Amino acid sequence: QVQLVESGGGLVQAGGSLRLSCAAAGRTFSSYAMGWFRQAPGMERELVATINWSGGWTRYSDSVKGRFTISRDNAKNTVYLQMNSLKPEDTAAYYCARADAPALVTASSRYKYWGQGTQVTVSS
């Protein structure tokens, strides 16, 4: 069983920063790619960033490229999302998820384990 727990969400003004963390329980964390998704009310879930098993490869959605950075610490079983220059349109529930392979995974259907989510609200 894989458990993922996100933290670090909150309320921030536009232009500010937040760092999300996702702690994973289990010994297989370092073997799989991880992703951060977000979903705003009435919107489809969006993959914003993904990272491969080693942390050497990352990919971002166009909406966050240059502002968000995904990273991982396999020794701590944790993946992070550093969010800078936040905009009101970044407001959403953010979820971390574990993919079914070690390489980068962009298809949401291949993410098998999900956290409970953490809310990020950016005020204008």
Side-chain angles (χ1 to χ4, degrees), residues 76-95:
K76 296 182 178 179
N77 278 13
T78 302
V79 62
Y80 305 97
L81 186 68
Q82 178 68 43
M83 305 185 295
N84 298 329
S85 302
L86 282 162
K87 305 175 181 180
E89 52 263 44
D90 294 318
T91 295
Y94 283 72
Y95 301 87

Side-chain angles (χ1 to χ4, degrees), residues 6 20 22 35-39 45-46 48 92-97 114-118:
E6 301 97 334
L20 306 183
C22 172
W36 282 99
F37 293 77
R38 69 184 181 187
Q39 188 167 24
R45 185 173 56 194
E46 174 189 18
V48 297
Y94 283 72
Y95 301 87
C96 72
W114 295 81
Q116 82 289 350
T118 186

Side-chain angles (χ1 to χ4, degrees), residues 40-62:
M43 303 292 286
E44 290 189 358
R45 185 173 56 194
E46 174 189 18
L47 174 63
V48 297
T50 180
I51 188 167
N52 77 325
W53 69 276
S54 69
W57 293 91
T58 59
R59 188 170 294 174
Y60 301 90
S61 67
D62 288 343

